[in-house]
Each structure stands twice: as structure tokens, then as C-alpha cells.
Amino acid sequence: MAVTQPLEYLSQAQINKFYRDGYLIVPEFLSHSQTSSLLSRAKELLDEFTPEDHPLIKFTTSDEDHIGDNYFLNSGDKIRYFLDEDAVDSSGKLTRDKARAVNKIGHALHELDPVFRNATLENDRLKALVRDLRFHHDPVALQSMVIFKQSQTGGAVPEHNDSTFLYTSPPSALGFWIALEKCTPTNGALSFLPGSHLTTPIMKRFIRLPGGGTGFEQLPTSPPPSSDISEKPRENTSEGASDGNYILEVCEPGDLVLIHGSVLHKSERNTSAHTRFAYTFHMIDSSPHAEYDEKNWLQPTDAMPFSRILDVPNEITLATAVY
């Protein structure tokens, strides 16, 4: 996988590891100051949450009962609050303090909030990384969120891949997940199945249903593609990895996790006394390199199209083995 252009930020070893395993930990991607600013701003946004003006929408990552009302579906160009599944009782009242009830805030932080915009669209280090990785020709950013995995109450996120929820043809989703606090085995650190992006096709996609709301649409499957990337021996994958053997990855504040849209990953419930806050956003390739259609739950608007990342697109990409 030779690189024909000088690398600006990533090493060749890091690039190889990402394409081999389907994810990559980039230590200290954000400085201590940048990370502290994002964490402080996230806590300010929690303080600004006014439950009395909120439809008290619960957020779930399971296959059933996905929220589908306008508050969720029209949040792509707004900053909105989504609550943990058990944070609202049967009468519609919060079961705990508002700051501990919020599951996430999204989905246009990268555009509308100056602190998060600075760490995303105005981040030269991020642009250099995107040029080095060459996963996309002309990437656009979408679906930015702060995820609050609260101590004791932050729920588990089951096994999934991101291209299911941000589907393009061909699949091109790439996740950027930045730890704002230390991520440990007990507070819900991410776990990955290394190499699963090369063997696990996208089986379904999350869509807007014709009659309203959201649901899943099954996709046709095909055998894994043949490429020099996918044919590399499995013994090159992460130490300890085997079929079905997830690798838990601890992170320090400011670490970035790059997540291939097809790699399987998950996180467990936060059983510790410590919160696990993270900032995450995604990129997809833009037309004509990939099609993002009107079925997707999150839609760009005339006032806020998806945000372009690079001033000059990548002429060549390395993502030859995506599903």
C-alpha cells in the first residue's frame, strides 16, 4: 500500500493498521487545552438544557423502537438533546437530574457551536489526517454529537457498524470519535472486532419510512471483494484478535479513534463512578464518488449542506475494500 505523496501527520504504519484492522487509535490528537475546552462546552450545553421546552425524546441504539418524530429527524442542522431510555417515566417526567438524563447532544455541533467547529471544520491537523488516510476523495462532515455515558446509568451500545446508519452507495462512512475523558473497561470504553470490515457486509440500513418514522431496510449481500488489502494474512491483525474476539481499547482524553464504517464495534454499560464523555462526528464521500440518498434519516438542508473538509480533493483513495 505505497503512498505516493508525502505524509503530513499519520505514519505509514498507522495507515496500514487502520486498513488492516478497520480502526485506529491516534493518541493526543487534540491538545489538553482543546480537549478541556470541548469538555467544558459540553457541560455548559448540559446546563443550558431546559426539560420544560423539550419533547422528552428517548434515544435507543437497539433495532426496535427507534425514535422517528420531527425532533429527531430534523436535527441535522440543529443542536438538540436526546435522553437515555430510562430517563423518562411513564408519565413523561425525568427520573433523575437533567444533567444525568441526557444521552447525547446533536447533530450540528460542528457547524453551529464555535468551540466544536474549531475542533472539526477549522482543524488543520484533521485535514492533514484526512489527506494522509485517503479514505475519501472529497469528504463531507455530518452527524456531530457529544455522547454522555453517565456513571452507573450510561447504557451499553450493542454491536453495530456505522455504515448501517449513514449509508452511501458504495459505503463510505468513517467515524471520528474523540475521548473527552479517560475511557476504561468499567466506564464504557469502545471495543472492536479487528478485520471485521473485510468480512462483514452491510446487511441493512437505517431509513426514513415512507409512512413516517424510521426503520431498517434489508440490503442484498455479496461475497467479500477480492483485493490486496483483504487478502493479507489474518495473523497481521491486532494481538489477541480472532473470530468473535473483541478488543477493548482504553483511551486518554484527547485521543482520537478512527472507525471504518464497516467495522463491528460496541461498548458496555458504564458501571463505574466516572463519566465517559466523547465528541464524535462522521464523514462520507460526496457525489459523484458516493451517493447519499433521500432515504437516509439525516438529510442536508439548503441552509446547511454537509460540510466539506478539504480545499482540494484527494485524487486517489486507498479504500478499495469497503462494503
Side-chain angles (χ1 to χ4, degrees):
M1 196 186 304
V3 173
T4 58
Q5 64 187 31
L7 295 176
E8 303 176 59
Y9 180 70
L10 294 176
S11 69
Q12 189 61 52
Q14 287 177 308
I15 295 170
N16 291 347
K17 180 174 172 58
F18 169 79
Y19 283 99
R20 183 187 70 209
D21 292 349
Y23 72 97
L24 176 70
I25 312 297
V26 184
E28 299 179 343
F29 180 73
L30 295 185
S31 68
H32 175 75
S33 175
Q34 288 174 309
T35 306
S36 295
S37 294
L38 290 179
L39 182 60
S40 295
R41 181 59 184 140
K43 291 178 178 179
E44 288 174 1
L45 288 169
L46 279 179
D47 290 340
E48 294 169 8
F49 174 45
T50 52
E52 57 271 22
D53 299 326
H54 189 276
L56 299 182
I57 297 300
K58 295 178 287 183
F59 179 78
T60 176
T61 53
S62 66
D63 280 8
E64 293 81 27
D65 302 323
H66 264 279
I67 51 180
D69 71 0
N70 288 335
Y71 186 84
F72 172 67
L73 290 174
N74 296 332
S75 63
D77 59 352
K78 301 175 181 67
I79 297 176
R80 288 184 165 174
Y81 297 78
F82 302 93
L83 309 181
D84 275 324
E85 291 183 71
D86 58 353
V88 182
D89 63 20
S90 57
S91 64
K93 295 181 180 179
L94 292 181
T95 60
R96 49 183 176 266
D97 179 75
K98 69 173 187 176
R100 291 180 50 80
V102 176
N103 173 283
K104 69 172 185 174
I105 299 175
H107 290 100
L109 291 164
H110 65 293
E111 279 280 3
L112 298 178
D113 187 276
V115 178
F116 287 95
R117 183 184 178 92
N118 179 261
T120 316
L121 302 182
E122 298 170 358
N123 188 337
D124 289 337
R125 180 176 290 182
L126 176 68
K127 295 178 182 180
L129 182 151
V130 170
R131 286 191 291 266
D132 286 347
L133 195 65
R134 290 196 288 169
F135 191 81
H136 299 118
H137 287 279
D138 194 8
V140 292
L142 67 165
Q143 197 190 22
S144 55
M145 304 172 281
V146 176
I147 300 175
F148 304 95
K149 190 166 283 237
Q150 301 287 352
S151 60
Q152 303 296 328
T153 59
V157 177
E159 175 184 87
H160 68 284
N161 45 35
D162 290 348
S163 281
T164 295
F165 296 93
L166 294 172
Y167 185 78
T168 64
S169 180
S172 65
L174 178 65
F176 292 74
W177 194 98
I178 301 172
L180 300 184
E181 298 179 303
K182 188 177 181 66
C183 304
T184 71
T186 58
N187 77 349
L190 299 178
S191 294
F192 295 87
L193 187 58
S196 56
H197 63 304
L198 301 176
T199 59
T200 308
I202 306 301
M203 304 288 293
K204 59 187 176 181
R205 59 178 296 198
F206 186 56
I207 63 169
R208 294 182 177 225
L209 295 174
T214 56
F216 288 94
E217 175 184 79
Q218 295 299 311
L219 295 170
T221 59
S222 58
S226 176
S227 73
D228 14 77
I229 298 174
S230 62
E231 289 173 358
K232 287 189 175 181
R234 282 290 294 177
E235 60 261 31
N236 288 337
T237 56
S238 295
E239 183 180 354
S242 62
D243 290 342
N245 190 357
Y246 270 81
I247 304 298
L248 186 143
E249 297 285 1
V250 298
C251 292
E252 295 294 329
D255 289 356
L256 165 67
V257 188
L258 288 173
I259 306 173
H260 190 294
S262 294
V263 77
L264 294 172
H265 57 288
K266 61 182 181 177
S267 66
E268 302 303 327
R269 186 177 183 86
N270 186 349
T271 60
S272 76
H274 305 285
T275 55
R276 192 224 67 185
F277 292 3
Y279 172 53
T280 182
F281 57 93
H282 292 81
M283 293 185 194
I284 57 172
D285 220 343
S286 56
S287 180
H289 309 290
E291 178 190 3
Y292 185 93
D293 64 24
E294 68 282 352
K295 288 185 178 182
N296 280 295
W297 75 268
L298 189 154
Q299 291 293 316
T301 63
D302 292 338
M304 190 181 294
F306 292 152
S307 318
R308 272 192 156 71
I309 299 299
L310 299 178
D311 298 327
V312 179
N314 289 321
E315 291 186 9
I316 300 173
T317 65
L318 299 177
T320 60
V322 295
Y323 288 86

